């Protein structure tokens, strides 16, 4: 057997051993918890529980060791492991090492498993009499997740993809038959450049905690059916469900923030299938939360609560199937590629097992679940809460159905094409949902449970209604929407949605101070509703009045722009502005100058420095100045990936990205300098104009170039006049320092002209070198938007999350000190992440 040089096999063997151990321990824990849940004898039950806990803790320890081993392998760049080779590289900054672990399928499954382990530990200590049936489900979910990274063969079928497979066993190539093959692997492929972002370090852990937490409602619903304590599970579940809704919602919007900062489609939400796949379970969970509250108060909606609790986790598994099996194809800009038939089959098995077993169990017990058969009064809170839950649930089904078109095409061999405008196909429905939900969120809390008097309702709702109408009218008059793209009907719907959401914000604020008398301890629901409505208002304003401020009409340069990443259609060239290096160009109220480009840490990545200035139109004094640095990554296939940069204000963002940039490695400059001998005041010509040597300065006090003041510097002051009478300055230098004589050329980019101070002749004439480059002039084409009041989106999210946490604290068994600490920590953390971190 060939011995390969330089391999570090022990970490991989150790990690793979603990994957197998954790897998077996999860199976044993599942069987043991399930057996304990069926035991009537208390002694037998406790015996099985102790055994189950021990197995679960072994699984937890194993998973932590597996994660630590992967981190060790990636951080040491052991490219003999395929996972390290695919996801790390030498130039990868250390802060992104964690991101490279959950970039891959195996690492993200492991992250999910770790969070479920944490949740399982808490449930073991806190769920009391519900422990056995609830932990049966948690342990079973762990079993399936660990199966995804098992990496063992059953006959010719590989069960799971191990993160510890060796590169030489995965890639066919002649170098892998050589004992020193590692000497040929100089670097890894590395983390996708789009994922090298602050949000990709924190967004996936939060999102996967949200994913993992949705198993808890399913587990409690199963426990209620299994123990036949059909309604008792709602109370212990509610704090968990509120936590899950908070974390999953924040995790989804963290993804929106990442997309806003890293992708160039000009926004934070584009109804991408991956976005939708995580959004649908959140909507179902929100619907379930409302029906659970209704059941706690009135005894109604228990069956609906069972359904929503189970479907939230089932749709998480369905989202996993959509995003990890490659079935979405090119309909998503950030889905995983296909992982192989075996792993796809296991994901499908995971989904089908929980969907079929859970829904079958619910169907079997359906008639045994207590239900109040008298209908709710239409003037009761529970009636309108159920209507709201139903609207949210139907919206989730609509989004899921549209997202699942690739699944229908594959199953039924159809060829249903996506609509020409994907975003509008969703927005035209969702804007109507926003109207309904906004109005329901505003008025429902003013109803009482059971029945509400008409006079009581009108008395309390009249002022919020009037104020919201006035504010909506004020918005329409002072800051009207400019989104005419889809006609007056859709624009009218946007205005109605704005009124409905403003109504929700105002009505919830009134409810807190008038009905609850300012007692915030009971105001969690109202705060969450107000935050959600404010977030939608921010979305409507920022999208409805989004303005493109770049225009090719400024300088008449029309270049073919890149394709829109969402519609796959060519971007409008008229909305792109081409900036010639060092030539100030007007962009709305700003003068924008492309200063220079600089290489990033990654090969092929360039940052483009754009200097923005705004002047007082009367005095012409500069009133504002800032620099943006959007970047471009030229990939191995010469395709361009563009990442935006944003200037954030309190009331708006200026969002800028590159739509075209030169690949400077693709063409070589073959032109040379032609030296002319001039006296001061002399003129010489080039093909597009002339140069005048004004004077030569020794050690100039002002120079565009930095140089050591101890050196001797001669600077030629030259005026370049083009045929179109444009004047430019060129000031090349010649330096004499301790290192010898060196020349610092100057460039007139607008003329593609390079000027050099070549020296002095014996007759004291100045030698000026002139080169007319045959390379393309250095320029960059950009697109820029203004997003007005986009901070309302992030502020609304924070308020909604704080409201959900307030509700969680109220319904959980937290002390006053714990409650205050949790609330303060969550609020500060969210404010920092969304409003302060990247300002």
């Amino acid at each position: 057997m060939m011995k390969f040089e330089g391999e570090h096999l022990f970490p991989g063997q150790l990690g793979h051993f603990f994957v197998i151990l954790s897998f077996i321990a999860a199976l044993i824990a599942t069987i043991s918890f399930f057996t304990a849940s069926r035991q009537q004898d208390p002694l037998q039950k406790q015996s099985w529980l102790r055994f189950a806990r021990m197995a679960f803790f072994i699984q937890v320890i194993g998973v932590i060791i597996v994660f630590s081993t992967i981190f060790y392998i990636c951080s040491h760049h052991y490219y003999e492991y395929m996972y390290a080779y695919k996801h790390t590289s030498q130039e990868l900054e250390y802060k992104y090492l964690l991101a490279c672990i959950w970039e891959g399928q195996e690492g993200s499954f492991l992250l999910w498993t770790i969070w479920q382990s944490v949740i399982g530990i808490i449930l073991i200590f806190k769920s009391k009499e519900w422990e056995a049936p609830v932990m049966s489900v948690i342990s079973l979910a762990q079993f399936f997740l660990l199966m995804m990274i098992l990496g063992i063969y059953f006959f010719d079928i590989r069960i799971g993809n191990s993160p510890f497979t060796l590169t030489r066993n995965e890639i066919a190539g002649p170098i892998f038959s050589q004992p020193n093959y590692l000497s040929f692997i100089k670097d890894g492929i590395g983390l996708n450049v789009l994922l090298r972002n602050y949000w990709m370090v924190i967004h996936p852990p939060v999102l996967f905690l949200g994913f993992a937490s949705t198993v808890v409602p399913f587990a409690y619903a199963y426990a209620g059916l299994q123990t036949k304590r059909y309604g008792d599970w709602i109370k212990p579940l509610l704090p968990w469900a509120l936590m899950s809704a908070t974390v999953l919602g924040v995790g989804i919007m963290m993804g929106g923030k990442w997309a806003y900062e890293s992708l160039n489609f000009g926004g934070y939400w584009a109804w991408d299938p991956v976005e939708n796949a995580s959004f649908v379970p959140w909507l179902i969970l929100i619907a379930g939360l409302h029906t659970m509250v209704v059941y706690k108060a009135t005894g109604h909606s228990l069956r609906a609560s069972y359904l929503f609790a189970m479907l939230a986790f089932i749709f998480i598994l369905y989202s996993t199937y959509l995003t990890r099996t490659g079935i979405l194809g090119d309909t998503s800009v950030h889905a995983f590629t296909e992982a192989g038939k075996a792993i796809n089959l296991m994901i499908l098995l995971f989904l089908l097992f929980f969907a079929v077993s859970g829904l079958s169990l619910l169907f079997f017990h359906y008639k045994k679940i207590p239900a109040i058969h008298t209908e709710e009064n239409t003037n009761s809170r529970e009636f309108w809460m159920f209507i709201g839950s139903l609207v949210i649930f139907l919206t989730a089904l609509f989004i899921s159905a549209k997202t699942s078109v690739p699944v229908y095409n594959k199953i039924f061999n159809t060829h249903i094409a996506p609509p020409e405008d994907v975003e509008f196909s969703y927005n035209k429905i969702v804007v109507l949902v926003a109207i309904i939900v906004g109005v329901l969120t505003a008025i429902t809390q003013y109803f009482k449970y059971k029945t509400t008097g008409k006079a009581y309702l009108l008395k309390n709702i009249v002022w919020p209604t009037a104020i919201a109408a006035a504010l909506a009218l004020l918005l329409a008059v002072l800051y009207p929407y400019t989104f005419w793209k889809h006609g007056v009907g859709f624009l009218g719907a946007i205005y109605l949605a704005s009124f409905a959401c403003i109504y929700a914000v105002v009505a919830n604020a009134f409810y807190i101070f008038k009905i609850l008398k300012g007692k915030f301890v009971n105001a969690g629901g109202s705060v969450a509703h107000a935050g959600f409505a404010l977030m939608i208002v921010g979305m409507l304003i920022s999208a409805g009045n989004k303005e493109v401020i770049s225009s090719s009409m400024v300088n008449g340069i029309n270049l073919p722009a890149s394709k829109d990443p969402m519609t796959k259609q060519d971007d409008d060239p008229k909305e792109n502005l081409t900036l010639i290096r060092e030539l100030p160009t007007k962009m709305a109220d700003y003068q924008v100058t492309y200063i220079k480009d600089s290489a990033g840490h990654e090969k092929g990545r360039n940052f483009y420095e754009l200097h923005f200035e705004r002047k007082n139109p009367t005095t012409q004094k500069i009133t504002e100045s800032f620099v943006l640095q959007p970047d471009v990554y030229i990939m191995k296939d010469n395709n361009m990936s563009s990442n935006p940069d944003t200037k954030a204000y309190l009331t708006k963002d200026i969002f800028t990205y590159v739509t075209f940039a030169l690949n400077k490695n693709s063409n070589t400059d073959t032109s040379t300098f032609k030296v002319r001998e001039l006296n001061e005041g002399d003129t010489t010509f080039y093909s597009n104009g002339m140069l005048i040597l004004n004077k030569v300065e020794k050690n100039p006090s002002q120079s565009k170039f930095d140089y050591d003041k101890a050196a001797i510097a001669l600077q030629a002051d030259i005026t370049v006049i083009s045929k179109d009478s444009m004047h430019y300055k060129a000031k090349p230098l010649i330096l004499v320092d301790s290192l010898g004589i060196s020349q610092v050329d100057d460039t007139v980019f607008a003329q593609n002209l390079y000027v050099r101070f070549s020296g002095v002749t014996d007759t004291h004439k100045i030698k000026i070198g002139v080169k007319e480059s045959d390379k393309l002039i250095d320029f960059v084409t950009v697109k820029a938007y203004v997003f007005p009041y986009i901070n309302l989106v992030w502020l609304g999210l924070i308020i909604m999350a704080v409201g959900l946490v307030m509700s969680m604290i109220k319904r959980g068994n937290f002390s006053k000190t714990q409650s205050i600490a949790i609330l303060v920590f969550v609020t500060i953390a969210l404010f920092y992440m969304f409003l302060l971190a990247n300002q």
Side-chain angles (χ1 to χ4, degrees), residues 481-511:
Y481 288 119
T482 57
F483 194 80
W484 292 93
K485 181 179 178 181
H486 299 295
V488 68
F490 187 67
L491 186 64
I494 293 176
Y495 275 111
L496 284 175
S498 296
F499 162 73
C501 292
I502 291 170
Y503 189 19
V505 174
V506 173
N508 278 280
F510 259 78
Y511 187 82

mmCIF file of all heavy atoms in Angstrom, residues 481-511:
data_model
loop_
_atom_site.group_PDB
_atom_site.id
_atom_site.type_symbol
_atom_site.label_atom_id
_atom_site.label_comp_id
_atom_site.label_asym_id
_atom_site.label_seq_id
_atom_site.Cartn_x
_atom_site.Cartn_y
_atom_site.Cartn_z
ATOM 1 N N TYR A 481 -45.764 58.182 -3.568
ATOM 2 C CA TYR A 481 -45.046 57.064 -4.183
ATOM 3 C C TYR A 481 -44.839 57.342 -5.666
ATOM 4 O O TYR A 481 -45.700 57.924 -6.334
ATOM 5 C CB TYR A 481 -45.815 55.759 -4.003
ATOM 6 C CG TYR A 481 -45.796 55.237 -2.588
ATOM 7 C CD1 TYR A 481 -46.987 55.072 -1.865
ATOM 8 C CD2 TYR A 481 -44.606 54.886 -1.970
ATOM 9 C CE1 TYR A 481 -46.980 54.585 -0.573
ATOM 10 C CE2 TYR A 481 -44.585 54.409 -0.675
ATOM 11 C CZ TYR A 481 -45.774 54.256 0.026
ATOM 12 O OH TYR A 481 -45.745 53.785 1.303
ATOM 13 N N THR A 482 -43.693 56.912 -6.164
ATOM 14 C CA THR A 482 -43.356 57.116 -7.580
ATOM 15 C C THR A 482 -43.302 55.805 -8.352
ATOM 16 O O THR A 482 -42.798 55.760 -9.466
ATOM 17 C CB THR A 482 -41.990 57.819 -7.689
ATOM 18 O OG1 THR A 482 -40.993 57.034 -7.004
ATOM 19 C CG2 THR A 482 -42.041 59.199 -7.065
ATOM 20 N N PHE A 483 -43.835 54.741 -7.741
ATOM 21 C CA PHE A 483 -43.727 53.414 -8.350
ATOM 22 C C PHE A 483 -44.905 53.185 -9.304
ATOM 23 O O PHE A 483 -45.914 52.567 -8.962
ATOM 24 C CB PHE A 483 -43.712 52.346 -7.245
ATOM 25 C CG PHE A 483 -43.284 50.988 -7.717
ATOM 26 C CD1 PHE A 483 -41.938 50.692 -7.884
ATOM 27 C CD2 PHE A 483 -44.209 50.002 -8.000
ATOM 28 C CE1 PHE A 483 -41.526 49.444 -8.311
ATOM 29 C CE2 PHE A 483 -43.812 48.747 -8.431
ATOM 30 C CZ PHE A 483 -42.469 48.467 -8.595
ATOM 31 N N TRP A 484 -44.764 53.679 -10.540
ATOM 32 C CA TRP A 484 -45.818 53.567 -11.554
ATOM 33 C C TRP A 484 -45.596 52.362 -12.468
ATOM 34 O O TRP A 484 -46.366 52.168 -13.422
ATOM 35 C CB TRP A 484 -45.865 54.840 -12.393
ATOM 36 C CG TRP A 484 -46.330 56.039 -11.640
ATOM 37 C CD1 TRP A 484 -45.562 56.962 -10.990
ATOM 38 C CD2 TRP A 484 -47.692 56.431 -11.427
ATOM 39 N NE1 TRP A 484 -46.341 57.914 -10.388
ATOM 40 C CE2 TRP A 484 -47.664 57.623 -10.642
ATOM 41 C CE3 TRP A 484 -48.927 55.912 -11.821
ATOM 42 C CZ2 TRP A 484 -48.816 58.284 -10.257
ATOM 43 C CZ3 TRP A 484 -50.072 56.575 -11.441
ATOM 44 C CH2 TRP A 484 -50.024 57.744 -10.659
ATOM 45 N N LYS A 485 -44.587 51.590 -12.195
ATOM 46 C CA LYS A 485 -44.179 50.519 -13.117
ATOM 47 C C LYS A 485 -45.321 49.574 -13.456
ATOM 48 O O LYS A 485 -45.446 49.105 -14.595
ATOM 49 C CB LYS A 485 -43.013 49.745 -12.499
ATOM 50 C CG LYS A 485 -42.474 48.615 -13.363
ATOM 51 C CD LYS A 485 -41.298 47.931 -12.671
ATOM 52 C CE LYS A 485 -40.778 46.768 -13.512
ATOM 53 N NZ LYS A 485 -39.640 46.077 -12.848
ATOM 54 N N HIS A 486 -46.184 49.258 -12.470
ATOM 55 C CA HIS A 486 -47.251 48.283 -12.697
ATOM 56 C C HIS A 486 -48.640 48.912 -12.718
ATOM 57 O O HIS A 486 -49.641 48.243 -12.489
ATOM 58 C CB HIS A 486 -47.191 47.190 -11.629
ATOM 59 C CG HIS A 486 -45.902 46.422 -11.647
ATOM 60 N ND1 HIS A 486 -45.514 45.635 -12.706
ATOM 61 C CD2 HIS A 486 -44.896 46.338 -10.738
ATOM 62 C CE1 HIS A 486 -44.338 45.089 -12.445
ATOM 63 N NE2 HIS A 486 -43.936 45.505 -11.269
ATOM 64 N N GLY A 487 -48.681 50.197 -12.969
ATOM 65 C CA GLY A 487 -49.963 50.847 -13.194
ATOM 66 C C GLY A 487 -50.595 51.421 -11.940
ATOM 67 O O GLY A 487 -50.137 51.232 -10.812
ATOM 68 N N VAL A 488 -51.698 52.124 -12.170
ATOM 69 C CA VAL A 488 -52.365 52.853 -11.098
ATOM 70 C C VAL A 488 -53.011 51.912 -10.090
ATOM 71 O O VAL A 488 -53.118 52.233 -8.899
ATOM 72 C CB VAL A 488 -53.401 53.843 -11.692
ATOM 73 C CG1 VAL A 488 -54.567 53.088 -12.346
ATOM 74 C CG2 VAL A 488 -53.912 54.796 -10.630
ATOM 75 N N GLY A 489 -53.460 50.741 -10.536
ATOM 76 C CA GLY A 489 -54.107 49.795 -9.624
ATOM 77 C C GLY A 489 -53.160 49.305 -8.544
ATOM 78 O O GLY A 489 -53.506 49.304 -7.349
ATOM 79 N N PHE A 490 -51.963 48.914 -8.955
ATOM 80 C CA PHE A 490 -50.984 48.428 -7.984
ATOM 81 C C PHE A 490 -50.507 49.565 -7.087
ATOM 82 O O PHE A 490 -50.297 49.377 -5.890
ATOM 83 C CB PHE A 490 -49.802 47.784 -8.710
ATOM 84 C CG PHE A 490 -48.815 47.110 -7.784
ATOM 85 C CD1 PHE A 490 -49.174 45.983 -7.077
ATOM 86 C CD2 PHE A 490 -47.534 47.621 -7.621
ATOM 87 C CE1 PHE A 490 -48.275 45.361 -6.220
ATOM 88 C CE2 PHE A 490 -46.627 47.010 -6.769
ATOM 89 C CZ PHE A 490 -47.009 45.874 -6.075
ATOM 90 N N LEU A 491 -50.370 50.765 -7.671
ATOM 91 C CA LEU A 491 -49.969 51.922 -6.872
ATOM 92 C C LEU A 491 -51.021 52.219 -5.803
ATOM 93 O O LEU A 491 -50.692 52.515 -4.649
ATOM 94 C CB LEU A 491 -49.764 53.134 -7.775
ATOM 95 C CG LEU A 491 -49.200 54.392 -7.103
ATOM 96 C CD1 LEU A 491 -47.793 54.141 -6.576
ATOM 97 C CD2 LEU A 491 -49.195 55.561 -8.081
ATOM 98 N N GLY A 492 -52.296 52.099 -6.182
ATOM 99 C CA GLY A 492 -53.367 52.293 -5.206
ATOM 100 C C GLY A 492 -53.309 51.270 -4.096
ATOM 101 O O GLY A 492 -53.549 51.593 -2.912
ATOM 102 N N ALA A 493 -52.982 50.027 -4.454
ATOM 103 C CA ALA A 493 -52.860 48.974 -3.441
ATOM 104 C C ALA A 493 -51.724 49.281 -2.468
ATOM 105 O O ALA A 493 -51.829 49.004 -1.264
ATOM 106 C CB ALA A 493 -52.636 47.623 -4.119
ATOM 107 N N ILE A 494 -50.630 49.869 -2.978
ATOM 108 C CA ILE A 494 -49.511 50.250 -2.105
ATOM 109 C C ILE A 494 -49.956 51.316 -1.107
ATOM 110 O O ILE A 494 -49.626 51.256 0.084
ATOM 111 C CB ILE A 494 -48.311 50.745 -2.943
ATOM 112 C CG1 ILE A 494 -47.722 49.602 -3.763
ATOM 113 C CG2 ILE A 494 -47.243 51.343 -2.041
ATOM 114 C CD1 ILE A 494 -46.598 50.024 -4.693
ATOM 115 N N TYR A 495 -50.736 52.292 -1.581
ATOM 116 C CA TYR A 495 -51.248 53.327 -0.668
ATOM 117 C C TYR A 495 -52.154 52.724 0.396
ATOM 118 O O TYR A 495 -52.076 53.095 1.582
ATOM 119 C CB TYR A 495 -52.000 54.399 -1.455
ATOM 120 C CG TYR A 495 -51.109 55.473 -2.031
ATOM 121 C CD1 TYR A 495 -50.897 55.585 -3.395
ATOM 122 C CD2 TYR A 495 -50.475 56.395 -1.197
ATOM 123 C CE1 TYR A 495 -50.079 56.570 -3.926
ATOM 124 C CE2 TYR A 495 -49.653 57.388 -1.716
ATOM 125 C CZ TYR A 495 -49.458 57.462 -3.080
ATOM 126 O OH TYR A 495 -48.636 58.448 -3.581
ATOM 127 N N LEU A 496 -53.030 51.785 -0.010
ATOM 128 C CA LEU A 496 -53.915 51.138 0.967
ATOM 129 C C LEU A 496 -53.116 50.335 1.982
ATOM 130 O O LEU A 496 -53.422 50.347 3.184
ATOM 131 C CB LEU A 496 -54.918 50.235 0.242
ATOM 132 C CG LEU A 496 -56.074 50.940 -0.476
ATOM 133 C CD1 LEU A 496 -56.909 49.934 -1.247
ATOM 134 C CD2 LEU A 496 -56.941 51.700 0.519
ATOM 135 N N ALA A 497 -52.083 49.622 1.501
ATOM 136 C CA ALA A 497 -51.240 48.842 2.412
ATOM 137 C C ALA A 497 -50.505 49.769 3.383
ATOM 138 O O ALA A 497 -50.344 49.438 4.564
ATOM 139 C CB ALA A 497 -50.244 47.999 1.612
ATOM 140 N N SER A 498 -50.063 50.925 2.882
ATOM 141 C CA SER A 498 -49.386 51.884 3.760
ATOM 142 C C SER A 498 -50.338 52.366 4.853
ATOM 143 O O SER A 498 -49.961 52.436 6.030
ATOM 144 C CB SER A 498 -48.893 53.085 2.955
ATOM 145 O OG SER A 498 -47.921 52.682 2.021
ATOM 146 N N PHE A 499 -51.571 52.698 4.461
ATOM 147 C CA PHE A 499 -52.547 53.112 5.471
ATOM 148 C C PHE A 499 -52.782 52.005 6.488
ATOM 149 O O PHE A 499 -52.792 52.248 7.706
ATOM 150 C CB PHE A 499 -53.880 53.490 4.819
ATOM 151 C CG PHE A 499 -55.022 53.514 5.803
ATOM 152 C CD1 PHE A 499 -55.131 54.531 6.745
ATOM 153 C CD2 PHE A 499 -55.960 52.482 5.829
ATOM 154 C CE1 PHE A 499 -56.165 54.538 7.679
ATOM 155 C CE2 PHE A 499 -56.990 52.472 6.754
ATOM 156 C CZ PHE A 499 -57.097 53.506 7.683
ATOM 157 N N ALA A 500 -52.953 50.759 6.015
ATOM 158 C CA ALA A 500 -53.248 49.637 6.913
ATOM 159 C C ALA A 500 -52.122 49.428 7.922
ATOM 160 O O ALA A 500 -52.371 49.182 9.115
ATOM 161 C CB ALA A 500 -53.485 48.365 6.101
ATOM 162 N N CYS A 501 -50.878 49.547 7.451
ATOM 163 C CA CYS A 501 -49.742 49.306 8.346
ATOM 164 C C CYS A 501 -49.511 50.488 9.294
ATOM 165 O O CYS A 501 -49.159 50.287 10.466
ATOM 166 C CB CYS A 501 -48.493 49.005 7.525
ATOM 167 S SG CYS A 501 -48.607 47.416 6.637
ATOM 168 N N ILE A 502 -49.697 51.717 8.791
ATOM 169 C CA ILE A 502 -49.625 52.872 9.695
ATOM 170 C C ILE A 502 -50.725 52.764 10.749
ATOM 171 O O ILE A 502 -50.510 53.049 11.938
ATOM 172 C CB ILE A 502 -49.766 54.187 8.892
ATOM 173 C CG1 ILE A 502 -48.533 54.404 8.013
ATOM 174 C CG2 ILE A 502 -49.964 55.379 9.831
ATOM 175 C CD1 ILE A 502 -48.671 55.537 7.014
ATOM 176 N N TYR A 503 -51.909 52.324 10.315
ATOM 177 C CA TYR A 503 -53.032 52.099 11.218
ATOM 178 C C TYR A 503 -52.653 51.105 12.311
ATOM 179 O O TYR A 503 -52.934 51.309 13.506
ATOM 180 C CB TYR A 503 -54.208 51.582 10.395
ATOM 181 C CG TYR A 503 -55.546 51.493 11.101
ATOM 182 C CD1 TYR A 503 -55.814 52.192 12.276
ATOM 183 C CD2 TYR A 503 -56.552 50.701 10.557
ATOM 184 C CE1 TYR A 503 -57.050 52.109 12.888
ATOM 185 C CE2 TYR A 503 -57.796 50.608 11.166
ATOM 186 C CZ TYR A 503 -58.037 51.310 12.338
ATOM 187 O OH TYR A 503 -59.260 51.218 12.946
ATOM 188 N N ALA A 504 -51.959 50.039 11.915
ATOM 189 C CA ALA A 504 -51.543 49.021 12.889
ATOM 190 C C ALA A 504 -50.557 49.593 13.904
ATOM 191 O O ALA A 504 -50.645 49.306 15.103
ATOM 192 C CB ALA A 504 -50.934 47.824 12.166
ATOM 193 N N VAL A 505 -49.612 50.412 13.430
ATOM 194 C CA VAL A 505 -48.634 51.007 14.348
ATOM 195 C C VAL A 505 -49.334 51.925 15.347
ATOM 196 O O VAL A 505 -49.131 51.829 16.566
ATOM 197 C CB VAL A 505 -47.563 51.802 13.566
ATOM 198 C CG1 VAL A 505 -46.638 52.552 14.526
ATOM 199 C CG2 VAL A 505 -46.739 50.876 12.676
ATOM 200 N N VAL A 506 -50.183 52.802 14.841
ATOM 201 C CA VAL A 506 -50.857 53.776 15.700
ATOM 202 C C VAL A 506 -51.804 53.076 16.670
ATOM 203 O O VAL A 506 -51.824 53.378 17.878
ATOM 204 C CB VAL A 506 -51.624 54.802 14.838
ATOM 205 C CG1 VAL A 506 -52.467 55.722 15.731
ATOM 206 C CG2 VAL A 506 -50.654 55.621 13.995
ATOM 207 N N ALA A 507 -52.594 52.130 16.162
ATOM 208 C CA ALA A 507 -53.585 51.446 17.005
ATOM 209 C C ALA A 507 -52.919 50.638 18.108
ATOM 210 O O ALA A 507 -53.413 50.604 19.252
ATOM 211 C CB ALA A 507 -54.462 50.543 16.139
ATOM 212 N N ASN A 508 -51.809 50.011 17.803
ATOM 213 C CA ASN A 508 -51.104 49.244 18.836
ATOM 214 C C ASN A 508 -50.488 50.161 19.878
ATOM 215 O O ASN A 508 -50.472 49.828 21.069
ATOM 216 C CB ASN A 508 -50.044 48.349 18.193
ATOM 217 C CG ASN A 508 -50.622 47.055 17.657
ATOM 218 O OD1 ASN A 508 -50.851 46.107 18.396
ATOM 219 N ND2 ASN A 508 -50.903 47.013 16.346
ATOM 220 N N ALA A 509 -49.970 51.304 19.448
ATOM 221 C CA ALA A 509 -49.428 52.274 20.411
ATOM 222 C C ALA A 509 -50.541 52.784 21.325
ATOM 223 O O ALA A 509 -50.363 52.883 22.552
ATOM 224 C CB ALA A 509 -48.766 53.423 19.665
ATOM 225 N N PHE A 510 -51.705 53.104 20.738
ATOM 226 C CA PHE A 510 -52.851 53.541 21.540
ATOM 227 C C PHE A 510 -53.273 52.460 22.524
ATOM 228 O O PHE A 510 -53.601 52.752 23.682
ATOM 229 C CB PHE A 510 -54.023 53.901 20.614
ATOM 230 C CG PHE A 510 -54.186 55.374 20.401
ATOM 231 C CD1 PHE A 510 -53.356 56.052 19.518
ATOM 232 C CD2 PHE A 510 -55.158 56.094 21.068
ATOM 233 C CE1 PHE A 510 -53.487 57.402 19.312
ATOM 234 C CE2 PHE A 510 -55.308 57.462 20.872
ATOM 235 C CZ PHE A 510 -54.465 58.119 19.990
ATOM 236 N N TYR A 511 -53.265 51.223 22.069
ATOM 237 C CA TYR A 511 -53.707 50.119 22.926
ATOM 238 C C TYR A 511 -52.810 49.998 24.156
ATOM 239 O O TYR A 511 -53.279 49.775 25.275
ATOM 240 C CB TYR A 511 -53.693 48.809 22.130
ATOM 241 C CG TYR A 511 -54.285 47.644 22.884
ATOM 242 C CD1 TYR A 511 -55.661 47.451 22.935
ATOM 243 C CD2 TYR A 511 -53.474 46.733 23.559
ATOM 244 C CE1 TYR A 511 -56.212 46.382 23.635
ATOM 245 C CE2 TYR A 511 -54.010 45.668 24.255
ATOM 246 C CZ TYR A 511 -55.385 45.497 24.290
ATOM 247 O OH TYR A 511 -55.932 44.445 24.989
#
